[in-house]
Amino acid sequence: MKVTIKEWNAVAAWRWDMPDDDVCGICRNPYDSTCSKCKYPGDDCPLLLGECNHSFHMHCIFSWLRQEAAQEKCPMCRQPFKSKNQEAETQDATPNTSPA
Amino acid sequence: MSSNQAAQADKKRKHSDRTIKELFTSQQKPNVSGTAPLSPSSKRPKLGSSPAEAPPTPEKAMSTASMYHFPSKRGNAPTSEVIDLGSSPDNSPARKNGVRKTTPNMAASAGPKKLMVKNFRPTRTVDPKTFLDQTWQKVDAALDVIFQQGKINFSLEELYRGVENICRQGMAVEAKKKLVAKCKTYVDGPLKQSVEEMLGRQNVDVLRATLQAWTTWNNQLGYIDWIFCYLDRSYLLPKQESLRDITVKLFRSIIFEHAKLNLRIVDGACDLIAIDRAGEDLDREMFSKAVAMFHEMQVYTQHFEPRMLEFSQTYVKESADKQSAEQSLPEYVKSAQSLMKSEIARVEVFRLDGSTKRDLLTLLEDHLISRKQTKLTNQDEFADLLEDNAVEDLERLYSLLERRKLGANLRPAFMKWIEDAGTAIVFDEKEQDGMVVKLLTMKRQLDTIWKISFHRSSALGHALREAFETFMNKTKKSGATWNTDNSKPGEMIAKYVDMLLRGGAKAIPAQLSRKTEKPADVEAEEDNEDVFFDEDTEVNNQLDQVLDLFRFVHGKAVFEAFYKKDLARRLLMSRSASADAERSMLARLKTECGAGFTANLEQMFKDIELSREEMSSYKMISEERNEKHAIDLTVNVLSASCWPTYPTVPVIIPRSIKTEIDKFEAHYKAKHSGRKLDWKHSLAHCQVKAKFPRGNKELVVSSFQAIVLLLFNGLPTDEHLNYEYLKEATGLPPPELNRTLQSLACAKLRPLTKHPKGRDINPTDTFTVNANFTDPKYRIKINTVQLKETAAENKETHERVAADRNYETQAAIVRILKARKRITHSELVAETIKVTRNRGTLDVSGIKKNIDRLIEKEFLEREDDGLYAYIA
Ligand SMILES: [Zn+2]
Ligand SMILES: [Zn+2]
Ligand SMILES: [Zn+2]
């Protein structure tokens, strides 16, 4: 018998590549899920990794940093919070639809 | 006839050619001769003898002016006694016009009286008493003839004038007394005797004799009225009396009200009804006459009606008792209806009084309906009708009850039957697959019964829905739900919807398809009159019906879990029959359960959409880079939290495929930084080209099936691969490997052959290519194994839903305590049930367990007074 694969319909589930914790330190929701305000996970509600290596839902950390009492510090380690990869953040912040 | 016309006709007649004498003596008066003379009183409007029937006047109408010449003319008239006597302006023929009261020149009026007195003076010298006696002798003799019904050999006119004269001489009182005494003797004598003779016989015979006597008496009164007309008008009328009244009263008091006769006569009429009720021949004429007589004697209401109703009551009560005891419910309803119909029809045919009809109807309804409620709402017999879907019998039953506004009393029996029948369907563990079809069939039948039989009664409509809600939400820890108390209907409804969405219109079970509906049913469902349906309408119509069932299910979590799993399969395997139907179902669920319920489902659709875009962008980039792909790869990337959870099954992916997958993953990671992909190979499927000895085929297979088939690539048909080798080479865990091998070598279509043959896979088995594999179709789907839910999967879903229910309950308890701070145990339980109803409630002991768990976790504490308090 001769067998050839013509078409392969694969299925994959994406998740955030997070080394440590699996929940956002601010909203306590899993990274794979959304912040407490969003409905759809993924591009609509991306994550943000700090230089201190703490990650949050982008919406969560933004609203945290907007508070004056936060003094622009990471809520986990109290170091000044800076995004590790500015470019990636902006890319993820906009809903990603294919150019086609 | 108006009074004017009457008066005119009256006057015309006075100018007739013939003298009044001629008129009277000629005996030609049609109304007097013959057997039924009309009495003047009989010409009263009530009895309908119209003046037009009076002998026509030969002359044409005279002018009013000429009529008024009459008195002056008479001044020159001869003084003959006869003419003088008769020349009273109120002379007799006038009374043929009947309406005495309205004739202007009545004896009672003053003018003519004066004239009369003038005329009398010179001629009358006879002693009035002597005159009375002489005249009365003649009258008396005539009355004897009349009473004996002998030949009329006397001049009515002469007698009339005699009586007139008696009256004119002021002896009307005596005349009346004499007449009454004479009549009384007759009525009390021979006439009564004719009836009394029948006393020894049947009531009906007594009645018949009475009617005969009544007819005789009325005929005789015709003559008496003629003779005593003047008395009637000039003497009785002003005293508000009438001959008619007096003579009728005589008959009534002497014969009808006679102690021995009265009840016999009335009962005679009632017996006629009894004869009719017994189905024998009713003497209709006799009954009509009896009723007429009762009316004329004015005894209908006092004597006949109460007696007739009394008999009817006994009769109706007896038949109601007998029939309700002997007959089945639908038979009894029919009997009751037909009894009411025939009783009322009789009343109508004989035009009995409205009061009789009303009272009869009341007693019919009382005995047949109100007092037989127990029979009419009997649980068992009513259940039989529902069981048989006896729409018409049920309609009759409801209509009967509704006469007394008792239709709603069917409610308990209606609900009981629905609950029993529904519970039997829901917990029929052997036929779980047929549950939804059976429920839909039952619902449809009951809806029709509600619409047609129960006239859309709102009370019974509520009952129907309540009963469905009750049994649909009954839970039982059973094998069907892996000993969870999950709602089985929720699961089965989800699966039924899946079947519809996969199969489209052709998946609709025959018994539910509108095409097979009886025309009568279609007519009944006014809201859907269109008999021709396209497929989408068919499917949508089915979805509506299923949703109608789904609405009754309180705990939606079970449905959601299964619906989500099935939707995932349809999306990932491209098994939806219609994208429109999918969307319309989603919209329905959104309306029914809210946006929160459908958010995850919407994301699933969105993931598929995004993946399609992702793939086309990926392919464009590949083309730009001029990359060659050995395999056409498509990837669906899921947002895991919105999809069902799938276990990751270890499997060794063939190199050629692995290469393609890795390329895509690299592309994806580059595009979406910070993301990783977990490959769900158990969900993958593929198309394979296979060259079998008996021909080339294209197979649609699961990824695991493809991986196994690839191991046979290039092997001769007689080369065996053993189980252990296949296990090593695929890396699949035995349960998965066994399922895959079974689907390839033991199902209907077998690309592989198992050695030895048999349904179960054993570690000692070996496999070869099936050299005889063939099929009429070129493209063959053998991945159905992937589409089917396994028992383990079903168990897992049920257990997860049950576990989730505990988490949801805990979350609800915490929310309630946050809001209320302190709360009693019973309040907390009640509130928890209330807020978790939509997802699925735990029983009270389950809620209590979760409260205890939360106390352990220190979310709340039990205070000394027994109240729970929230720990912030
Ligand atoms: Zn967050
Ligand atoms: Zn968000
Ligand atoms: Zn930090």
Side-chain angles (χ1 to χ4, degrees):
Chain A
M1 181 169 76
K2 182 123 179 63
V3 186
T4 341
I5 306 280
K6 281 194 64 191
E7 239 183 81
W8 189 271
N9 301 84
V11 178
W14 69 263
R15 59 185 176 90
W16 298 110
D17 192 4
M18 286 294 130
D20 325 297
D21 245 348
D22 54 353
V23 297
C24 163
I26 296 172
C27 71
R28 312 298 301 172
N29 288 336
Y31 290 128
D32 293 347
S33 180
T34 64
C35 75
S36 36
K37 282 171 199 136
C38 286
K39 205 165 142 192
Y40 301 117
D43 296 331
D44 289 351
C45 186
L47 297 194
L48 199 58
L49 181 61
E51 281 181 349
C52 60
N53 273 334
H54 284 120
S55 301
F56 307 96
H57 293 115
M58 190 186 77
H59 298 139
C60 291
I61 189 67
F62 277 12
S63 51
W64 170 263
L65 294 173
R66 236 174 274 135
Q67 295 173 290
E68 232 167 88
Q71 295 173 318
E72 310 219 328
K73 287 175 182 167
C74 167
M76 307 301 281
C77 62
R78 301 275 159 196
Q79 292 177 42
F81 188 87
K82 277 203 176 118
S83 173
K84 206 174 191 177
N85 184 348
Q86 207 64 40
E87 283 164 45
E89 178 231 308
T90 44
Q91 197 184 8
D92 276 357
T94 52
N96 198 329
T97 48
S98 88
Chain B
M1 168 179 263
S2 77
S3 54
N4 260 345
Q5 286 172 305
Q8 279 184 357
D10 203 10
K11 283 165 190 163
K12 283 177 217 160
R13 216 154 283 132
K14 286 173 199 147
H15 293 267
S16 156
D17 269 351
R18 303 156 80 186
T19 65
I20 290 160
K21 183 182 175 181
E22 281 167 337
L23 269 176
F24 271 90
T25 50
S26 66
Q27 297 269 338
Q28 283 172 349
K29 294 175 289 294
N31 287 343
V32 177
S33 58
T35 52
L38 279 171
S39 70
S41 62
S42 77
K43 291 180 199 118
R44 288 175 182 183
K46 185 192 166 192
L47 293 172
S49 172
S50 144
E53 289 162 20
T57 25
E59 293 269 333
K60 287 287 157 204
M62 303 275 289
S63 73
T64 319
S66 65
M67 279 192 267
Y68 280 113
H69 285 302
F70 185 59
S72 62
K73 254 171 139 186
R74 206 177 41 177
N76 306 324
T79 55
S80 129
E81 192 187 309
V82 174
I83 294 185
D84 276 349
L85 270 173
S87 67
S88 156
D90 296 312
N91 220 338
S92 84
R95 63 204 161 129
K96 284 181 190 159
N97 286 297
V99 198
R100 298 179 302 175
K101 287 175 192 173
T102 56
T103 312
N105 292 334
M106 293 303 297
S109 65
K113 252 185 188 165
K114 280 179 200 161
L115 260 179
M116 282 184 263
V117 174
K118 260 188 204 165
N119 287 338
F120 277 123
R121 260 181 211 145
T123 49
R124 283 283 156 224
T125 51
V126 191
D127 168 42
K129 181 79 179 71
T130 314
F131 178 73
L132 172 66
D133 289 344
Q134 283 170 357
T135 314
W136 187 259
Q137 260 185 359
K138 289 181 189 168
V139 173
D140 192 67
L143 287 175
D144 281 338
V145 172
I146 292 167
F147 290 156
Q148 284 155 26
Q149 298 180 56
K151 187 169 164 26
I152 305 296
N153 54 358
F154 43 82
S155 156
L156 280 171
E157 187 266 350
E158 192 188 332
L159 294 171
Y160 165 81
R161 276 190 292 112
V163 171
E164 180 183 5
N165 279 334
I166 291 171
C167 294
R168 284 181 191 274
Q169 294 187 26
M171 288 178 294
V173 194
E174 282 78 9
K176 181 200 163 189
K177 272 185 192 158
K178 278 176 182 292
L179 173 66
V180 169
K182 183 79 183 169
C183 289
K184 206 167 181 171
T185 312
Y186 168 65
V187 173
D188 205 12
L191 198 58
K192 188 172 88 182
Q193 210 192 327
S194 71
V195 180
E196 278 178 325
E197 275 165 8
M198 293 294 151
L199 271 173
R201 298 172 69 174
Q202 304 283 311
N203 292 336
V204 176
D205 298 316
V206 178
L207 173 67
R208 189 178 291 113
T210 309
L211 286 169
Q212 183 54 52
W214 175 248
T215 308
T216 307
W217 182 232
N218 273 298
N219 289 342
Q220 290 161 340
L221 290 181
Y223 295 105
I224 293 171
D225 280 343
W226 267 102
I227 295 166
F228 291 90
C229 181
Y230 192 85
L231 177 78
D232 192 26
R233 279 200 248 165
S234 65
Y235 175 71
L236 296 176
L237 181 69
K239 293 169 71 187
Q240 312 290 323
E241 288 183 279
S242 82
L243 260 184
R244 174 81 194 162
D245 288 350
I246 292 166
T247 50
V248 166
K249 212 172 283 172
L250 276 177
F251 190 93
R252 182 172 73 212
S253 59
I254 296 172
I255 298 180
F256 180 77
E257 288 175 356
H258 186 272
K260 281 185 185 162
L261 296 175
N262 180 263
L263 211 53
R264 303 289 306 276
I265 297 166
V266 173
D267 286 3
C270 294
D271 286 356
L272 286 177
I273 296 178
I275 287 168
D276 191 32
R277 281 177 179 146
E280 289 158 37
D281 260 354
L282 167 68
D283 186 340
R284 306 175 72 87
E285 196 194 342
M286 183 175 169
F287 185 70
S288 287
K289 275 185 180 164
V291 171
M293 177 179 76
F294 294 148
H295 276 301
E296 284 163 36
M297 287 197 292
Q298 296 176 348
V299 297
Y300 180 93
T301 314
Q302 201 198 331
H303 290 266
F304 173 69
E305 190 181 59
R307 189 73 174 152
M308 180 262 187
L309 290 172
E310 188 188 328
F311 276 114
S312 301
Q313 170 124 325
T314 312
Y315 170 72
V316 172
K317 184 181 181 305
E318 276 171 11
S319 16
D321 287 347
K322 187 166 180 283
Q323 287 166 346
S324 69
E326 289 173 359
Q327 297 178 330
S328 71
L329 178 58
E331 280 166 0
Y332 173 72
V333 169
K334 276 185 199 166
S335 310
Q337 266 189 338
S338 79
L339 181 59
M340 293 179 80
K341 205 176 150 196
S342 62
E343 288 295 312
I344 296 306
R346 181 182 307 112
V347 168
E348 282 168 353
V349 165
F350 293 104
R351 297 205 185 86
L352 299 189
D353 275 18
S355 65
T356 313
K357 186 174 168 180
R358 194 186 57 230
D359 291 352
L360 185 62
L361 195 61
T362 305
L363 76 86
L364 280 164
E365 287 177 351
D366 185 47
H367 285 284
L368 292 168
I369 306 167
S370 300
R371 295 182 190 218
K372 290 288 174 277
Q373 273 184 74
T374 323
K375 167 83 177 177
L376 291 169
T377 58
N378 177 284
Q379 169 71 51
D380 292 339
E381 296 197 78
F382 182 62
D384 288 344
L385 294 180
L386 291 169
E387 198 77 49
D388 299 343
N389 195 24
V391 178
E392 284 167 23
D393 284 336
L394 287 165
E395 197 278 333
R396 270 191 288 272
L397 170 62
Y398 180 78
S399 297
L400 190 69
L401 283 165
E402 269 301 284
R403 286 179 154 275
R404 278 283 165 113
K405 298 271 167 276
L406 295 172
N409 286 13
L410 290 171
R411 186 186 154 95
F414 191 42
M415 287 184 73
K416 172 92 167 52
W417 185 83
I418 298 172
E419 283 179 36
D420 289 353
T423 306
I425 295 173
V426 169
F427 292 119
D428 181 354
E429 289 191 30
K430 281 179 201 146
E431 297 216 32
Q432 296 278 285
D433 289 345
M435 181 198 293
V436 176
V437 173
K438 281 190 220 157
L439 290 177
L440 287 172
T441 311
M442 172 170 148
K443 178 76 177 18
R444 177 191 272 197
Q445 281 186 2
L446 289 170
D447 281 345
T448 306
I449 286 170
W450 174 70
K451 282 180 199 163
I452 296 177
S453 309
F454 299 159
H455 306 175
R456 296 174 189 262
S457 144
S458 68
L460 295 178
H462 285 303
L464 196 165
R465 287 190 289 278
E466 257 176 63
F468 259 83
E469 206 167 315
T470 304
F471 80 73
M472 295 277 286
N473 289 295
K474 275 188 184 170
T475 53
K476 186 163 94 177
K477 286 187 179 174
S478 76
T481 51
W482 306 94
N483 288 319
T484 66
D485 53 3
N486 285 346
S487 142
K488 192 70 182 172
E491 175 191 343
M492 298 321 291
I493 289 171
K495 288 180 173 168
Y496 185 80
V497 172
D498 177 53
M499 184 204 71
L500 287 176
L501 291 175
R502 268 191 291 120
K506 62 181 181 298
I508 299 168
Q511 64 265 51
L512 291 171
S513 165
R514 300 183 57 88
K515 285 170 189 157
T516 60
E517 258 177 63
K518 278 179 264 162
D521 285 358
V522 179
E523 259 169 51
E525 290 172 32
E526 308 145 22
D527 27 332
N528 286 314
E529 278 174 343
D530 199 354
V531 193
F532 305 99
F533 310 95
D534 59 57
E535 294 214 340
D536 276 355
T537 319
E538 275 272 304
V539 172
N540 275 321
N541 177 51
Q542 283 297 310
L543 290 177
D544 282 337
Q545 292 191 21
V546 184
L547 224 66
D548 209 31
L549 276 187
F550 176 59
R551 216 163 276 144
F552 295 119
V553 178
H554 286 158
K556 314 278 194 207
V558 177
F559 172 88
E560 189 193 22
F562 283 96
Y563 188 81
K564 201 176 181 183
K565 292 209 94 170
D566 292 333
L567 173 63
R569 269 196 203 94
R570 292 196 300 276
L571 291 175
L572 296 177
M573 312 288 165
S574 313
R575 286 302 178 101
S576 284
S578 148
D580 283 348
E582 289 284 357
R583 266 193 293 276
S584 100
M585 183 64 197
L586 192 67
R588 281 179 170 85
L589 287 176
K590 200 167 185 171
T591 316
E592 199 57 44
C593 310
F597 186 86
T598 48
N600 284 344
L601 306 179
E602 281 171 44
Q603 178 65 32
M604 289 165 73
F605 283 100
K606 203 174 164 195
D607 280 346
I608 298 295
E609 190 58 36
L610 287 175
S611 298
R612 196 172 296 144
E613 289 168 5
E614 190 81 66
M615 285 323 292
S616 76
S617 122
Y618 175 64
K619 278 172 188 165
M620 264 175 60
I621 294 168
S622 294
E623 273 172 37
E624 281 167 17
R625 293 179 190 160
N626 250 332
E627 287 174 357
K628 294 277 179 231
H629 295 279
I631 294 166
D632 186 3
L633 178 75
T634 310
V635 183
N636 278 314
V637 181
L638 318 180
S639 307
S641 62
C642 300
W643 290 73
T645 45
Y646 297 104
T648 303
V649 182
V651 61
I652 297 164
I653 299 293
R655 178 115 317 271
S656 56
I657 300 156
K658 183 82 171 66
T659 314
E660 290 299 326
I661 284 174
D662 288 347
K663 275 188 206 160
F664 175 80
E665 191 167 347
H667 159 85
Y668 187 86
K669 278 182 173 171
K671 199 168 168 189
H672 306 274
S673 78
R675 291 195 192 183
K676 253 170 48 163
L677 290 178
D678 283 342
W679 293 94
K680 304 287 180 186
H681 295 301
S682 61
L683 298 172
H685 68 282
C686 53
Q687 286 187 37
V688 172
K689 259 192 177 169
K691 270 189 189 168
F692 288 95
R694 294 179 61 179
N696 292 354
K697 294 288 169 200
E698 193 175 292
L699 307 176
V700 179
V701 289
S702 74
S703 54
F704 295 166
Q705 287 174 324
I707 289 165
V708 169
L709 286 177
L710 276 177
L711 296 172
F712 289 86
N713 193 18
L715 295 187
T717 51
D718 58 354
E719 184 159 349
H720 289 241
L721 294 182
N722 66 41
Y723 182 85
E724 277 306 316
Y725 171 77
L726 292 170
K727 197 176 141 194
E728 292 278 314
T730 58
L732 282 168
E736 282 299 332
L737 179 63
N738 293 1
R739 263 183 82 204
T740 308
L741 288 171
Q742 215 163 16
S743 69
L744 288 169
C746 309
K748 218 170 88 190
L749 295 163
R750 303 169 183 181
L752 299 183
T753 307
K754 180 177 104 80
H755 306 276
K757 290 195 188 306
R759 280 202 59 80
D760 295 316
I761 307 294
N762 293 301
T764 52
D765 289 341
T766 61
F767 298 85
T768 57
V769 172
N770 178 4
N772 296 317
F773 183 80
T774 186
D775 195 86
K777 278 181 290 187
Y778 174 67
R779 196 164 183 271
I780 308 164
K781 287 181 187 173
I782 46 180
N783 65 334
T784 45
V785 62
Q786 217 175 357
L787 297 167
K788 273 199 194 122
E789 179 194 43
T790 61
E793 210 181 328
N794 183 275
K795 180 177 183 223
E796 193 271 328
T797 308
H798 272 295
E799 284 172 349
R800 192 169 37 77
V801 173
D804 284 353
R805 191 153 58 237
N806 283 305
Y807 298 132
E808 285 173 15
T809 304
Q810 289 184 14
I813 294 169
V814 169
R815 276 200 306 276
I816 292 163
L817 273 157
K818 263 190 185 173
R820 300 279 296 265
K821 307 297 179 208
R822 300 178 80 245
I823 192 168
T824 65
H825 176 77
S826 57
E827 268 185 297
L828 180 58
V829 171
E831 277 284 299
T832 307
I833 290 174
K834 209 172 116 193
V835 299
T836 52
R837 170 159 293 155
N838 277 340
R839 300 289 302 162
T841 41
L842 289 176
D843 57 12
V844 176
S845 72
I847 293 172
K848 205 168 164 301
K849 263 182 220 154
N850 281 297
I851 295 175
D852 292 340
R853 248 172 251 162
L854 288 170
I855 293 173
E856 279 165 35
K857 290 197 223 163
E858 297 188 336
F859 275 93
L860 51 139
E861 61 184 355
R862 194 179 278 122
E863 300 193 326
D864 294 338
D865 54 7
L867 267 65
Y868 295 114
Y870 180 63
I871 304 171

